[in-house]
Amino acid sequence: MSAPAELDRLLGIMARLRDPLQGCPWDLQQDFASIAPYTIEEAYEVADAIDRGDLDDLCDELGDLLLQVVFHAQMASEQGAFAFADVARAISDKMQRRHPHVFAQVQVDGAEDVNLNWEAIKRAERAAKGESDTSALAGISRGLPEWQRALKLQSRAARVGFDWPGPAPVLDKVREELDEVAAEFARGPVQDNHARLEEELGDLLFVCANLARHAKVDVGAALRQANHKFERRFRAMEAQAAADGQHMAELDLQAQERLWALAKAAEAKP
């Protein structure tokens, strides 16, 4: 079947699931707020499939993500707010409007010019909506994961010149923030100093995100790799402990660190 036919089929399935008389009880109970976490989860699963290089799984996960768009559009349609066609038309209009170098006669010199034009067009769009916030930081969603929002805040500030000239001073700032975290830990029990520790750790994480930006390293991808590495090594530790007739929970920290060292050494072997 063609793409339009399959999309019509999906829209019909979603409408049937939400039918007040013959629909699915679970689907009928949902609203925008209850579905939003699933939408976010599906987006991350798309990213995971890409990270693993699994194109078959990527196809499946993109379908799950498309279902989320269709679900939200169906609920909006039931309220008379908008329909799926309005969603598709809005994004088509936006993409044409924000790519005048493709769909109009605007000339650009490389990707940086494209980015500058994109931001200028977004500012014009916000002004047309009557938004009065003219800050360089205007329009950055508060719904983003905080690490991603940190990067956007830093990038926007950098566009008006508020940025370190390179990674060296950012590294110095990381050390400074780390010292401040250590000083807060030294003050006494964690429970007595939670608010200050939260603030200082936040500063440290913010600067680490900035360091990744200067290194042109994607924070999400870097953290995913670190998570994968930890999970891989920890599972190897569990397997080794089981092979020795032991359980991880029965081992003291010294014995567990020995297993960690073995897992790292096994990965280092050619």
Side-chain angles (χ1 to χ4, degrees), residues 48-109:
D48 179 62
I50 294 170
D51 189 56
R52 290 184 283 105
D54 189 335
L55 293 183
D56 289 336
D57 198 28
L58 176 59
C59 179
D60 188 58
E61 297 299 347
L62 285 170
D64 291 345
L65 184 57
L66 176 59
L67 176 64
Q68 298 301 307
V69 178
V70 168
F71 206 142
H72 285 289
Q74 174 62 33
M75 291 187 292
S77 178
E78 293 164 6
Q79 298 178 19
F82 58 82
F84 182 84
D86 299 306
V87 175
R89 180 171 57 252
I91 187 58
S92 294
D93 290 347
K94 181 186 294 183
M95 293 304 288
Q96 288 185 318
R97 187 170 63 249
R98 293 186 181 178
H99 290 81
H101 53 289
V102 176
F103 299 105
Q105 302 301 314
V106 173
Q107 299 296 314
V108 295
D109 183 19

